[in-house]
Amino acid sequence: VSALIDEQDTLQGEPGWFNSMYFDEIYHARTGYEHWVGMNPYETTHPPLGKALISWCIGLFGMTPFGWRFAGTLAGVLMLPGLYMTARLLFKKRRYAVLCCLMLALDTLHYTQTRLATIDSFVTLFIIWSYYYMFRWMMCDFFGQPLRRSLIPLGLSGLMMGLAVASKWTGCYAGVGLAILFFISVGRRLYTIRQAKQGKTTAGEPTQNAIKYVMISDPKKIFSFSVSEESK
């Protein structure tokens, strides 16, 4: 146990993160300030949204550690309800959602990273919410509700994905996963419609809403469905 605190006397001087930049803040906090005052940005390796968010908080609180770190810390806080709602959607149990939320809240990397003025916090925040809305869309009743209603979560997922990529290029990798989920969901719905058109139905698969959808979309076609007793 003593080895955990055996190097305290090796620190020279006072910690500087209370009054100066630390790690990649030398790039992102500086670029945020340059955005705010209208200068040509020094760092252009990633899209500007993350630095713009930092710049707005610099404008509110000043060019201080509190000012350039506020936006990232707020992003870290907003990740928690996003993960909670995603877990609640997937596991259907509040206790599992709370557990997932606590695991993120108590994760030291999450705690440390979101206290710094880096753009990683923003891309992670938007990725979490993009997947939440994608799962919401996948779970929509495609056949039992108007199409425009199911497009709302899909549009929000796309918006969050765009914000993630606009914060950092690594958001593109998460977009690949979203695309896979999208095409899987579309394929399942097309398969359900095909099964309904062929009159193949079991208890709840495809649902009665799918059958109604097929009949409404092609009312001239006569369907002969062989529905099981449980489905009836």
Side-chain angles (χ1 to χ4, degrees):
V1 176
S2 60
L4 295 175
I5 53 173
D6 63 345
E7 298 178 350
Q8 302 303 306
D9 57 346
T10 61
L11 177 63
Q12 300 295 326
E14 294 295 327
W17 52 81
F18 295 114
N19 56 19
S20 58
M21 297 178 183
Y22 184 73
F23 192 52
D24 278 354
E25 289 181 338
I26 61 174
Y27 305 111
H28 301 137
R30 168 181 171 175
T31 305
Y33 172 78
E34 291 167 343
H35 278 297
W36 181 253
V37 299
M39 298 173 58
N40 290 327
Y42 170 75
E43 187 272 317
T44 58
T45 56
H46 289 283
L49 179 59
K51 280 90 71 172
L53 295 174
I54 294 174
S55 72
W56 297 340
C57 292
I58 290 175
L60 288 173
F61 304 110
M63 187 58 182
T64 63
F66 182 86
W68 65 63
R69 291 170 184 163
F70 184 87
T73 303
L74 180 61
V77 173
L78 295 178
M79 290 181 201
L80 300 179
L83 187 63
Y84 172 86
M85 295 172 68
T86 302
R88 184 70 184 271
L89 199 64
L90 295 176
F91 298 116
K92 310 296 183 183
K93 298 288 186 180
R94 179 177 298 176
R95 60 178 177 270
Y96 297 141
V98 171
L99 177 62
C100 292
C101 185
L102 285 176
M103 290 176 66
L104 178 61
L106 300 177
D107 184 273
T108 53
L109 177 60
H110 169 261
Y111 180 74
T112 302
Q113 187 71 52
T114 56
R115 292 179 65 208
L116 297 176
T118 61
I119 56 179
D120 303 270
S121 303
F122 308 114
V123 65
T124 305
L125 169 67
F126 294 130
I127 286 173
I128 289 175
W129 282 102
S130 68
Y131 273 85
Y132 166 73
Y133 285 116
M134 176 58 73
F135 290 135
R136 280 283 303 273
W137 176 75
M138 294 179 69
M139 296 179 182
C140 285
D141 185 357
F142 180 75
F143 306 105
Q145 66 180 15
L147 178 62
R148 61 181 180 273
R149 290 190 59 186
S150 66
L151 291 179
I152 293 175
L154 182 62
L156 290 173
S157 177
L159 174 63
M160 293 297 154
M161 192 67 257
L163 293 175
V165 177
S167 300
K168 193 174 184 179
W169 290 122
T170 50
C172 296
Y173 298 114
V176 175
L178 289 176
I180 293 173
L181 292 175
F182 173 80
F183 287 113
I184 288 176
S185 183
V186 170
R188 291 175 61 184
R189 290 171 181 179
L190 293 175
Y191 176 78
T192 300
I193 294 174
R194 180 181 178 184
Q195 292 293 94
K197 286 183 176 181
Q198 294 176 355
K200 298 177 181 179
T201 178
T202 58
E205 188 178 342
T207 63
Q208 297 302 310
N209 285 332
I211 297 173
K212 294 177 183 177
Y213 175 85
V214 172
M215 297 181 72
I216 292 174
S217 62
D218 193 2
K220 296 181 180 180
K221 185 176 180 61
I222 300 176
F223 299 94
S224 57
F225 292 103
S226 175
V227 185
S228 65
E229 290 299 323
E230 184 180 354
S231 180
K232 292 179 182 178

